[in-house]
Amino acid sequence: MITCYLLQRQNKENLILSPYLDTTRAGNWSEDEQVVLKSSGMLTKNQKDEVSYALYAAIDFSVDRWIQNKQYIPRLLISAAVFTASYFFMSLAIRDPLPMVDELLISGGLVVFTWSYLAKKDTRSSIAQRRRYELKLRCGEREQEIDEQLFAVESFLDEASSADPLELSNSLALVSSEPLKPISYDGSNETLKELGDLLARYLSLYNKSLYRMALKVHNQRMQRKKDERLAARLFHQSMQKRLDIGLLALLVSLMEL
């Protein structure tokens, strides 16, 4: 079963988390795999459309990466053959005062062109098109399941986003005596663990700076050492709107479970 999640946020973009961003699994899902979307309540038509758009985009991304990884060796061999053939041809056809320079530049350019052309061709292949169709068809027939416990995760995220950034920064960096507020979740810890994994993958693709910061904060907290410089950095970036500190707090909390 493919389980997706919608986390609603106040005055910010909703989070749509799904396993579809895992490119290693794109070729393993069966055609009749059940797809379930979990949310804290009923969704409006606009929210349903938003979910469909996000999931279809994730499918396109994962299938593109999957087929490119699948065709990596053939693409590498063809590119190597193009480089070798063009290099020896240019060596015989062009005589210049700087041997190898023109040959390497032209051959390198041909390799880049060949690699890009083959990668685009792979993503438009019949195998990739069929895989996209199968996954999108099942995704479009997804079932919606209401999990009221997700409201606790959404509440934590909204409260962290509206909290005093200085106090939250100090709590995250263990500078303050006030600990990071826990998520008041009464459901299964497996659900929270899955949410943490999906959120980490989502941010590692779409917000790499926040993901790297979360890893840094998590590692520092595991050492149980306060870091005033880290707290100052979190506060500074938060005030400059360069860091979604509420989302950072949620990921760090989920990573610590």
Side-chain angles (χ1 to χ4, degrees):
M1 184 172 68
I2 301 174
T3 306
C4 310
Y5 297 89
L6 170 67
L7 298 181
Q8 301 182 56
R9 305 188 65 183
Q10 294 181 2
N11 304 320
K12 290 192 177 183
E13 192 173 321
N14 295 330
L15 291 173
I16 295 129
L17 308 176
S18 75
Y20 286 124
L21 291 176
D22 188 352
T23 58
T24 62
R25 300 174 61 188
N28 299 331
W29 289 308
S30 63
E31 297 180 14
D32 57 350
E33 191 95 33
Q34 182 183 9
V35 181
V36 175
L37 172 68
K38 292 187 177 183
S39 61
S40 61
M42 295 296 295
L43 304 182
T44 65
K45 183 181 183 303
N46 288 339
Q47 289 174 328
K48 292 179 180 178
D49 292 341
E50 180 185 3
V51 169
S52 295
Y53 178 83
L55 294 182
Y56 290 164
I59 290 172
D60 286 334
F61 170 82
S62 63
V63 171
D64 286 351
R65 291 294 181 90
W66 166 72
I67 195 65
Q68 288 178 8
N69 292 338
K70 186 181 180 67
Q71 296 296 108
Y72 176 80
I73 298 299
R75 192 163 65 250
L76 179 63
L77 293 176
I78 293 174
S79 299
V82 168
F83 178 85
T84 303
S86 61
Y87 178 82
F88 281 107
F89 175 78
M90 294 298 172
S91 297
L92 297 174
I94 300 178
R95 295 187 178 182
D96 54 76
L98 296 175
M100 296 181 61
V101 176
D102 291 342
E103 291 87 340
L104 288 174
L105 290 176
I106 296 174
S107 299
L110 288 174
V111 167
V112 172
F113 173 79
T114 301
W115 185 275
S116 300
Y117 171 77
L118 292 176
K120 290 181 180 179
K121 185 178 179 181
D122 290 337
T123 60
R124 298 169 184 170
S125 66
S126 58
I127 298 176
Q129 295 287 9
R130 178 180 178 180
R131 195 65 185 140
R132 283 193 196 90
Y133 177 79
E134 292 170 349
L135 294 178
K136 288 183 179 180
L137 182 63
R138 293 300 300 156
C139 180
E141 298 172 346
R142 64 183 177 271
E143 299 178 6
Q144 183 182 348
E145 182 178 317
I146 296 178
D147 185 352
E148 295 180 353
Q149 293 299 328
L150 290 177
F151 183 73
V153 181
E154 296 172 344
S155 297
F156 175 92
L157 182 55
D158 289 334
E159 290 175 8
S161 298
S162 60
D164 186 302
L166 180 59
E167 293 181 2
L168 184 55
S169 298
N170 289 337
S171 295
L172 284 167
L174 300 178
V175 173
S176 171
S177 58
E178 286 292 327
L180 185 62
K181 183 179 178 181
I183 302 174
S184 302
Y185 186 80
D186 297 328
S188 169
N189 280 341
E190 290 300 317
T191 299
L192 287 182
K193 183 180 183 302
E194 184 178 19
L195 274 174
D197 293 340
L198 295 178
L199 180 58
R201 185 175 298 278
Y202 174 88
L203 293 176
S204 68
L205 293 171
Y206 297 122
N207 195 334
K208 295 181 181 180
S209 60
L210 191 150
Y211 176 68
R212 289 193 295 266
M213 181 61 75
L215 291 179
K216 183 178 180 65
V217 172
H218 176 66
N219 292 335
Q220 182 267 332
R221 289 174 63 86
M222 290 299 97
Q223 298 175 10
R224 302 187 182 279
K225 295 180 180 179
K226 67 178 183 179
D227 191 333
E228 295 183 356
R229 293 183 61 183
L230 178 60
R233 183 179 176 187
L234 293 175
F235 174 71
H236 180 69
Q237 292 188 3
S238 175
M239 294 302 294
Q240 290 188 328
K241 306 299 182 182
R242 293 165 48 198
L243 177 69
D244 188 339
I245 196 168
L247 192 55
L248 174 70
L250 175 61
L251 181 55
V252 170
S253 297
L254 291 173
M255 292 171 71
E256 290 183 348
L257 291 176

